[in-house]
Amino acid sequence: MASAERPTPAAPFDPMMGRLELIEPGIAMFHGFANVAFAYGRGEMLAVDTSSRTMGAMAVKAIREITDEPFAFLIYTHGHGDHAFGTDAFLEDALSHGFRRPKIWAHEDVSGRFHRYAMTRGWQSHINQLQFGARAPVDGIFDEKSFRYADLAYRDYQTLELVGEAVELHHARGETDDATWVWMPTRRTAMVGDLIVSSMPNTGNPNKVQRFTLGWAEALEAIARKKPRYVLPGHGPAYRGEDACQELLLETARALRFIHDEVVRRLNAGQWPVEIVEANIELPADLAAQPFLAPIYGCVPFVVRDVIRYYAGWWSGEPSAMFPATRRDRAADVIALCGRDAVLARARALRDEGELQRALALAETELNADVSDREAMDLNADILEKLAARERSFIARNFFSGAARALREGLK
Ligand SMILES: [Zn+2]
């Protein structure tokens, strides 16, 4: 995930938020909006991720209650703000204890991500405010000065030594292109960042850059081959026991491969992106019933979009969408044919039948024809609020709520 600085109503899936979970002696995980995994007990420790700018200090305070060891390494699992922006608290901890500064490790593409964030900081601030349902803008956190770049970067694979103990860094492309999963062979513990998010993996995020559905599945299969006893994820609870970890990793991979393969099959059969979206691909029932694949953050339709985008271009396949008439012109034509009142009446009837997407399309048509139509604004907001109320995906729900809120603000 990539959080705004104020992910206020977040934490839809973590009752442990703000607390440290002891996994076994020497392994712990702080539950933040994004988690921080710790390995300690041999004289020095490492942290996998540093959480967000606001939660990094909480993570440090929590681990300091159980160990005085210096941090040897901080490892970013990827460059998202909820995982890598809490670093200052860890560096200040080293300073205040008189320890040497920990070495920060990351995949080589994390620095490119930070540069991109700084270049597009206005956009980043805007979309993250909406995605995380924050009430206030999140200005400032995507500035160049917010990031602590890694001291050391690697490309495919890297081994570190923590007081003589091997620590493996593996590159993956899943939620991001710059992902690292950490494997500690002697502890049989995988610290995997957002390769596990305790939800349907959120490839195909509506406003973010390309993600990697197939690469994500391959990474989970590679982690499963290590036979971990513990999987410490980027969000949500720790997974314990070899069987539970195998099921989590391999079933999540199977779900991603299922969607990936279904989209590819349809592309190869000559279907256009719009046809594939309208086919409403669903997971097999046994996968859909898995609690760790619940569509509470990402959801299957978003994954479908990710796979389409990875292999196809931007065009939906609709001839009218190649050089589209403006929304205003198209809407005005419909209103001229049907009449405003009939369109709004039909939208209300569809809303009352629970056909919310169709109701929204019609209500939006009138609003596109006349942006000052207060009745249409109110109806649009009402339908969006109903959509938000029944939506399980945190991301989609926040976008519906944010759009409704903007309309309500306009009505004041
Ligand atoms: Zn992330």
Side-chain angles (χ1 to χ4, degrees), residues 38 45-47 63-64 69-74 90 93 100 102:
F38 298 99
M45 67 172 152
L46 63 76
I63 194 67
R64 278 287 164 246
E69 292 176 353
F71 287 105
F73 304 113
L74 309 176
F90 290 74
D93 171 82
R100 111 186 116 80

Side-chain angles (χ1 to χ4, degrees), residues 1-3 78-83 175-176 194 197 202 211 235:
M1 301 183 193
S3 89
H78 58 302
H80 276 164
D82 51 340
H83 293 260
E175 190 194 53
T176 59
D194 281 356
V197 291
N202 60 327
R211 294 178 169 188
H235 300 269

